[in-house]
Amino acid sequence: MRESMHMLIRHATMEDLDAIEAVEAACFPPAEAASNESLTARVAAYPDHFWLLVNTDDDDTPFPSRVEDGTLVGFVDGMATNEPNLADAMYDDADMHDEHGVWQMIFGVDVAPVYQHRGCASYLLRQVILDAAKAGRKGLVLTCKERLVGFYARLGFVDEGLSDSTHGNVVWHQMRLALAHDGEADHDAKTLEFPQVEPAV
């Protein structure tokens, strides 16, 4: 593995589906992973609500996530909606997306196992947060397992307790990051800076 990587963040196209599906399958057990049909419907309905982290270096990583401009390292996806809480129905019903919705839902924060523990998830999420702020949204909402509450808290998300979600028959915490607008205190600028992707140790 190289000591440094050249990364770009971009939105999805239908040509990225095979790589997206490969990363999703590598990150979640079958009961929790989005199906191929669900991912296809999401990319078709809201491609600009997929944030793809691509390693543009010539990469010999043995992982089947090649895209046109490199290797798909990871991605974040989720619909926009006026509903304040993340509901299980949203995962498989792309028609619930509202481009003008005030809340950006986060369905998945996926990083291919060979790229984990390098700061890639934080790097992606800071871009998602920045884009949500630029779009004037009230904030972002996600659900996560208890072991990840501290990770998301460090990015500014607040734990709202156990979610009503039964997705994958797992216990989930709902977390929310409220964004300041219209004279409210601005987000600490440092929170929105993009960290360097950490090299392998």
Side-chain angles (χ1 to χ4, degrees):
M1 187 74 68
R2 286 187 174 85
E3 289 299 307
S4 63
M5 296 179 288
H6 294 94
M7 298 288 192
L8 68 84
I9 296 175
R10 64 170 174 82
H11 297 301
T13 71
M14 297 302 286
E15 286 70 33
D16 299 315
L17 267 172
D18 286 348
I20 289 171
E21 291 166 3
V23 172
E24 178 81 1
C27 290
F28 294 100
E32 299 172 29
S35 67
N36 294 355
E37 293 79 8
S38 178
L39 288 169
T40 300
R42 293 181 195 177
V43 174
Y46 43 88
D48 289 347
H49 293 261
F50 277 74
W51 289 262
L52 276 55
L53 182 62
V54 178
N55 179 3
T56 59
D57 286 339
D58 290 332
D59 193 354
D60 57 3
T61 301
F63 189 75
S65 60
R66 295 292 298 176
V67 290
E68 182 177 1
D69 43 359
T71 301
L72 181 61
V73 171
F75 68 92
V76 173
D77 76 297
M79 67 173 55
T81 177
N82 285 318
E83 295 296 325
N85 298 312
L86 200 163
D88 285 349
M90 295 175 180
Y91 290 116
D92 292 319
D93 188 355
D95 289 338
M96 295 178 71
H97 170 67
D98 178 356
E99 185 58 37
H100 303 292
V102 297
W103 295 103
Q104 174 65 55
M105 298 293 157
I106 303 295
F107 293 161
V109 179
D110 298 38
V111 175
V114 293
Y115 290 106
Q116 290 178 5
H117 309 298
R118 301 184 180 198
C120 294
S122 297
Y123 186 80
L124 261 173
L125 280 167
R126 290 176 192 277
Q127 181 67 58
V128 177
I129 293 166
L130 181 60
D131 286 352
K134 287 180 176 178
R137 306 200 195 278
K138 285 186 176 180
L140 305 90
V141 180
L142 58 81
T143 60
C144 69
K145 296 173 184 175
E146 185 171 4
R147 64 182 174 83
L148 291 171
V149 167
F151 167 74
Y152 290 112
R154 288 192 293 275
L155 288 165
F157 287 83
V158 175
D159 184 9
E160 297 183 328
L162 296 183
S163 166
D164 291 334
S165 174
T166 58
H167 181 67
N169 295 316
V170 173
V171 175
W172 301 94
H173 286 247
Q174 178 164 286
M175 302 193 70
R176 185 182 310 272
L177 173 58
L179 297 172
H181 296 289
D182 298 329
E184 298 175 37
D186 289 334
H187 237 308
D188 182 347
K190 293 182 180 179
T191 301
L192 297 179
E193 288 177 356
F194 302 157
Q196 297 297 315
V197 177
E198 300 168 4
V201 176

